[in-house]
Amino acid sequence: MLQMAKINGERYPSAALRLFTTGAGMRTYASNTALFAPGEALRMTLCFGTKDFLAPFVRPAGSAASEAEVFGRAASLAVATGPVVAVVESVASLASETVSTVHAKLGAVSQGGDAAAMRAEALGAVVNPRYIARCFTSLCTKNIVANTATFFFMFLADEYTQYARERDAGSGNRLRRRTTFEELIGGDHTPEGVPAMGARLSRKFTNRND
């Protein structure tokens, strides 16, 4: 909403004050959130859902044998899934936001003699093939760059975890599990058992430091 206000010539500070410091502004913010939030939820669901669906089909066979190969596999997965997910996400985003925008514009049209003409003008401004194509092109380009970069780090974490697990298993080591607080203190948690529990805790930390 701040970006839309900026497009309409209003400065960010004044738009923020208008929206978040008045009752009317908060009602406007809540109304717009109710209009556009479902579309955003659908877009994000399709984004990460499509990425998780495609990953098994494009993942290279076998597993990484070195850290350099981990980077290569993560990059290939990101390049393979990022553009496809961007197209799916952009179509969902454009469709949902167009519907929300049309609904918002039609809701703002007052009843009256020229209401039909105002509705037609509002629809013509939004449901326009040239406008939609321009929006889709810019949105899809942005999503390709953003998704590919984001997916690279997500796949990098997955691939490195698998690589580290197999490396440690082959060397006879296991990934160390963090000791929980319950395991650390152990014993009786009643008031009578607190001194003994404190002594055990002190010994454990002393032994670790030694």
Side-chain angles (χ1 to χ4, degrees):
M1 293 186 65
L2 294 176
Q3 189 64 34
M4 291 300 297
K6 181 67 174 179
I7 292 174
N8 292 330
E10 188 176 5
R11 298 175 65 246
Y12 287 129
S14 60
L17 288 174
R18 175 177 57 82
L19 288 171
F20 303 118
T21 61
T22 64
M26 291 299 294
R27 285 193 296 272
T28 301
Y29 177 77
S31 175
N32 277 271
T33 300
L35 278 173
F36 289 96
E40 287 297 304
L42 174 65
R43 178 180 70 85
M44 295 304 294
T45 300
L46 287 175
C47 172
F48 293 106
T50 305
K51 171 249 181 189
D52 292 337
F53 174 78
L54 292 175
F57 297 100
V58 298
R59 190 180 301 277
S63 56
S66 65
E67 293 183 356
E69 194 171 341
V70 168
F71 279 87
R73 289 168 63 90
S76 66
L77 283 166
V79 170
T81 58
V84 178
V85 173
V87 172
V88 174
E89 180 185 1
S90 298
V91 170
S93 179
L94 189 63
S96 62
E97 290 186 15
T98 298
V99 170
S100 299
T101 302
V102 169
H103 181 67
K105 285 184 175 294
L106 293 183
V109 173
S110 60
Q111 300 296 325
D114 59 346
M118 294 177 66
R119 289 193 180 94
E121 182 180 356
L123 284 173
V126 177
V127 187
N128 181 298
R130 182 176 298 177
Y131 173 77
I132 291 176
R134 186 169 67 249
C135 288
F136 177 80
T137 301
S138 61
L139 186 62
C140 191
T141 302
K142 184 266 294 181
N143 285 336
I144 288 175
V145 175
N147 288 349
T148 303
T150 303
F151 291 171
F152 169 74
F153 290 104
M154 296 175 72
F155 286 127
L156 184 64
D158 294 339
E159 291 292 325
Y160 186 80
T161 301
Q162 182 66 24
Y163 164 72
R165 183 180 292 114
E166 294 181 0
R167 179 195 60 194
D168 292 341
S171 62
N173 297 326
R174 298 181 61 186
L175 290 177
R176 182 178 179 274
R177 182 173 64 86
R178 290 181 180 270
T179 303
T180 65
F181 185 71
E182 288 291 329
E183 293 171 339
L184 185 64
I185 60 176
D188 187 6
H189 295 178
T190 62
E192 294 76 11
V194 169
M197 182 176 63
R200 284 194 301 273
L201 189 59
S202 177
R203 285 196 302 272
K204 287 186 178 183
F205 276 109
T206 301
N207 293 336
R208 287 187 177 187
N209 292 333
D210 292 342

